[in-house]
Amino acid sequence: MDGQFSLLGWSAFAAGLESPDDWQAWARAPTLPAGTASPALAEMPAMQRRRLEPLGRMALQVAWRCQPEATPGLPMVFASRHGDVARTYEMLAGLARGEPLSPTHFGLSTHNAIAAQYSIARGLTDNYLAVSGGVESPEAAVTEALALLADGAPEVLVVLYDGHTPEPYAEYRDEPEAAWAWAWRIGAPRGNAPRFSLRPHAGTPPAPAALPHGLDLLRFVLAGEGALVTPSGTRCWHRHA
């Protein structure tokens, strides 16, 4: 496979951006999405849907749209730099005030909780992973997905999502923040499906982008550009004819 993969399907969601046409137009003139929207996620039973914060709803909405049928044998990689950090912060603040910790909130705050809710809702028993790799979490996710493809998986569902960190963490922010989610279904190169690869790169890191890296990667894919260097400068995404 020479490190190449085909993008077989995609879906994305952010405030004011929902349909493929919305995102294609955004990719031609990208701006940082403002605010937080909560998709309907009508596919999920209401009792389970109520357990999710807006970030989780966004992640599961794009996953559902990218995987309309609950296909057996499709492994999944969920990735987020911060995860549901707002929920975690609320629990920490409560502990500081001497309040008891809610087991339910704790269970829903773990990094694999959103992926678990998806697998439970859809009755999926196949392999899923939840990863975080800092600013280059998209690269961590796709690296895991490529390993699954090399191990024989016919396709892999990759779901990326992130949101705003609580204000007390502001001094640690090193990239713009927005609430967004996207999903890709990737497989071995085939037919006329767009082909990409992630390869080592020797050079200086690029100038800071006006978007979170995960959104900038989606922009690169939708805009039809040929290459995108990662924030560390050590790897580069390539589009292949």
Side-chain angles (χ1 to χ4, degrees):
M1 193 166 57
D2 191 28
Q4 294 187 31
F5 65 90
S6 279
L7 180 60
L8 307 175
W10 66 275
S11 178
F13 185 94
L17 299 164
E18 185 162 357
S19 72
D21 287 344
D22 291 340
W23 283 100
Q24 293 286 359
W26 171 86
R28 293 190 292 270
T31 57
L32 189 67
T36 300
S38 185
L41 192 57
E43 300 90 339
M44 192 174 194
M47 286 291 289
Q48 289 176 287
R49 190 169 61 239
R50 283 197 289 269
R51 296 165 64 87
L52 296 169
E53 297 290 343
L55 182 65
R57 289 193 182 201
M58 288 192 291
L60 268 55
Q61 186 69 84
V62 297
W64 229 295
R65 289 175 179 169
C66 207
Q67 186 189 17
E69 302 297 329
T71 310
L74 179 68
M76 302 176 290
V77 180
F78 280 68
S80 177
R81 181 177 187 183
H82 301 295
D84 198 349
V85 67
R87 191 194 293 265
T88 302
Y89 178 76
E90 288 176 5
M91 289 191 301
L92 291 173
L95 286 173
R97 293 190 297 267
E99 299 170 0
L101 183 66
S102 164
T104 298
H105 283 306
F106 176 78
L108 292 172
S109 72
T110 60
H111 206 68
N112 69 329
I114 290 174
Q117 290 297 310
Y118 182 72
S119 66
I120 292 169
R122 305 210 67 179
L124 300 171
T125 58
D126 296 297
N127 180 32
Y128 76 79
L129 302 170
V131 302
S132 177
V135 69
E136 294 190 3
S137 289
E139 287 70 30
V142 172
T143 297
E144 292 285 355
L146 291 175
L148 289 165
L149 291 176
D151 203 35
E155 297 178 10
V156 179
L157 180 68
V158 179
V159 183
L160 266 288
Y161 56 95
D162 239 317
H164 300 275
T165 55
E167 195 56 33
Y169 300 141
E171 64 181 293
Y172 303 107
R173 295 170 185 160
D174 57 4
E175 65 172 349
E177 292 188 347
W180 55 272
W182 56 253
W184 292 352
R185 203 175 75 253
I186 70 173
R190 66 190 70 175
N192 294 323
R195 298 186 183 192
F196 301 90
S197 65
L198 176 63
R199 298 186 175 179
H201 177 77
T204 57
L211 299 169
H213 175 54
L215 270 185
D216 200 34
L217 176 58
L218 180 63
R219 178 205 58 76
F220 155 75
V221 167
L222 298 181
E225 295 179 356
L228 177 71
V229 178
T230 64
S232 67
T234 61
R235 290 176 287 183
C236 184
W237 292 93
H238 297 273
R239 181 187 301 270
H240 300 272

